[in-house]
Amino acid sequence: MSVTYDDSVGVEVSSDSFWEVGNYKRTVKRIDDGHRLCSDLMNCLHERARIEKAYAQQLTEWARRWRQLVDKGPQYGTVEKAWMAFMSEAERVSELHLEVKASLMNDDFEKIKNWQKEAFHKQMMGGFKETKEAEDGFRKAQKPWAKKLKEVEAAKKAHHAACKEEKLAISREANSKADPSLNPEQLKKLQDKIEKCKQDVLKTKDKYEKSLKELDQGTPQYMENMEQVFEQCQQFEEKRLRFFREVLLEVQKHLDLSNVTGYKAVYHDLEQSIRAADAVEDLRWFRANHGPGMAMNWPQFEEWSADLNRTLSRREKKKATDGVTLTGINQTGDQSLPNKPSSVSSYEKTQSYPTDWSDDESNNPFSSTDANGDSNPFDDDATSGTEVRVRALYDYEGQEHDELSFKAGDELTKMEDEDEQGWCKGRLDNGQVGLYPANYVEAIQ
């Protein structure tokens, strides 16, 4: 049992009932709690909006990073497209979650904020107008009854004190009869005291019953007035509860992506992309672009001409049978899949496949010991013979990335002897290594 006091009337509260003096304060406090709950709900939605934004950013970052990794990786063809579809799904879902974040903040958060501002009016001295009105209403309804209750409590206290005094006087009178030292006059005084106490008991009892009756008569009006103020508080709280329910339903709609058409479309498209993956088609594409289906410039007889500005190499000759140039090979075979601009591994994507090769490692300057055909024979300074200093007789402008350019009179180092096609491997003084026509230079004596 709680024991509190109402400052206005000073009456002790002996139970937890709403009808006890001062217990209306819980109803008044609910108004302040309503304002706080609006703020709590706004904070709740604001935190969820931050989570939605963070998740959207993480999805976008994940999609960006893995799109690059898959693009540079060895996967190819329709399966690569199916894999890439997951990155597209993440980007689209990220946009939807950003929309959720915007809805939570721009619609729901602002709606609660505006409702709170309209429903609760702050006072200059602190607190809310609605709280003060409820407090004043309850005080006014309770004051007459509380005053009578105070009188009842006082009458009860006086009556109980008189009863106690009567009992004490009777006890003293009984004890005096056993005491022979008391004279008749003293005994008479004790008996008179008992009589007086009995009269006080009757008098206080009458007053106690009278005040209690008046309290009972005022109770119906008290209850009516209190219920009237309470119903006003109930109506105010009902508006808040209904508003919260309405807002929470809107929040649920904003969070429920399963009913968003665009969300369903994301996973419908993802499923279609995955189902479109075709192993047979991918294998056919790989055969055409990196296997036996590739075009080949087979070796053929080359005429040598001293009148040409530069000696033709096998790489530049046109194949008489199919007209395919050595620097831009046309693919043969099935071309139904688009040619991936890069190679088939993350490492190879940064390299370039040479367009021809030879099993003749000792004589062919384009030969490579790399199993994937990635390495450039001129990327290192390894030499197969004795290096000799030579001087250019004519100007020469390199036509390929692996050819040197120099002016007449420039000196360079010959690293390998002339091959059967009339080319030498050399190194310029700046460190560049490449091929040059053997008849364009002479040895320095």
Side-chain angles (χ1 to χ4, degrees), residues 283-296 331-332 344:
L283 294 174
R284 186 161 46 204
W285 176 89
F286 192 88
R287 178 184 181 87
N289 289 274
H290 301 291
M294 296 180 67
M296 175 61 184
Q331 302 293 338
T332 61
V344 295

Side-chain angles (χ1 to χ4, degrees), residues 44-295:
C44 176
L45 297 184
H46 185 254
E47 185 174 340
R48 178 60 183 266
R50 290 201 305 267
I51 293 174
E52 295 290 336
K53 180 180 179 181
Y55 180 54
Q57 291 174 340
Q58 290 175 350
L59 281 177
T60 301
E61 177 60 24
W62 176 84
R64 184 194 64 78
R65 186 166 63 89
W66 276 99
R67 188 182 295 278
Q68 293 177 352
L69 292 174
V70 173
D71 182 61
K72 294 179 180 179
Q75 186 56 61
Y76 56 91
T78 59
V79 173
E80 181 185 30
K81 290 181 179 179
W83 194 346
M84 285 289 194
F86 281 96
M87 275 60 88
S88 299
E89 172 266 346
E91 292 168 345
R92 294 170 66 182
V93 172
S94 172
E95 294 176 0
L96 291 175
H97 280 280
L98 287 178
E99 292 178 4
V100 171
K101 176 257 180 185
S103 297
L104 292 175
M105 293 305 298
N106 299 336
D107 298 339
D108 305 326
F109 184 92
E110 289 298 322
K111 187 173 184 178
I112 301 170
K113 182 179 179 182
N114 294 333
W115 189 89
Q116 183 189 44
K117 186 176 181 181
E118 294 174 0
F120 299 90
H121 302 84
K122 291 186 177 180
Q123 299 184 116
M124 294 293 293
M125 300 302 293
F128 299 103
K129 175 184 176 183
E130 291 71 24
T131 303
K132 187 177 185 305
E133 289 177 350
E135 177 79 25
D136 292 344
F138 278 121
R139 282 179 179 271
K140 183 178 179 180
Q142 197 171 70
K143 187 174 182 179
W145 189 84
K147 183 178 180 181
K148 292 180 180 180
L149 177 63
K150 185 176 181 181
E151 294 173 356
V152 169
E153 292 292 334
K156 181 178 72 171
K157 185 176 181 181
H159 175 62
H160 289 176
C163 292
K164 182 179 180 181
E165 188 66 23
E166 179 191 24
K167 184 178 180 180
L168 183 60
I170 293 173
S171 177
R172 287 175 181 174
E173 192 268 341
N175 293 333
S176 65
K177 290 181 179 180
D179 188 359
S181 63
L182 291 177
N183 55 42
E185 185 179 353
Q186 291 175 326
L187 185 60
K188 180 73 168 56
K189 287 182 178 180
L190 290 175
Q191 292 175 348
D192 292 342
K193 179 67 174 177
I194 292 174
E195 188 64 27
K196 183 178 183 300
C197 288
K198 287 182 178 181
Q199 292 177 0
D200 289 342
V201 168
L202 292 175
K203 183 179 179 180
T204 55
K205 180 181 180 182
D206 182 63
K207 187 176 181 179
Y208 179 26
E209 290 176 343
K210 183 179 178 181
S211 61
L212 189 59
K213 184 177 180 180
E214 291 178 354
L215 181 66
D216 292 339
Q217 290 174 349
T219 298
Q221 185 64 43
Y222 163 66
M223 295 178 66
E224 181 181 348
N225 294 339
M226 289 289 286
E227 283 202 24
Q228 185 178 359
V229 181
F230 181 78
E231 283 303 318
Q232 293 175 354
C233 295
Q234 286 287 84
Q235 292 173 9
F236 184 82
E237 177 68 3
E238 182 182 9
K239 292 179 181 179
R240 185 191 69 82
L241 293 174
R242 290 186 181 276
F243 172 73
F244 267 44
R245 180 179 183 276
E246 176 186 345
V247 170
L248 293 175
L249 281 175
E250 292 182 5
V251 172
Q252 179 268 330
K253 291 179 181 178
H254 293 150
L255 295 178
D256 187 6
L257 295 179
S258 64
N259 290 325
V260 178
T261 305
Y263 190 75
K264 295 179 180 179
V266 169
Y267 293 98
H268 177 269
D269 295 346
L270 176 61
E271 181 181 2
Q272 294 300 110
S273 298
I274 297 174
R275 292 187 182 278
D278 188 338
V280 174
E281 191 70 18
D282 289 354
L283 294 174
R284 186 161 46 204
W285 176 89
F286 192 88
R287 178 184 181 87
N289 289 274
H290 301 291
M294 296 180 67

Side-chain angles (χ1 to χ4, degrees), residues 21-55:
V21 175
N23 278 359
Y24 64 82
K25 291 183 179 293
R26 293 175 302 187
T27 304
V28 176
K29 182 178 180 297
R30 188 176 61 172
I31 298 176
D32 294 335
D33 291 342
H35 183 275
R36 174 188 171 183
L37 289 171
C38 288
S39 299
D40 288 346
L41 183 55
M42 285 191 290
N43 290 335
C44 176
L45 297 184
H46 185 254
E47 185 174 340
R48 178 60 183 266
R50 290 201 305 267
I51 293 174
E52 295 290 336
K53 180 180 179 181
Y55 180 54

Side-chain angles (χ1 to χ4, degrees), residues 309-310 394-400 403-407 423 437 440:
N309 184 50
R310 52 191 290 275
Y394 317 102
D395 293 348
Y396 181 73
E397 185 72 24
Q399 302 300 311
E400 300 286 343
E403 296 178 3
L404 299 178
S405 298
F406 46 77
K407 300 291 185 181
W423 291 87
Y440 273 53

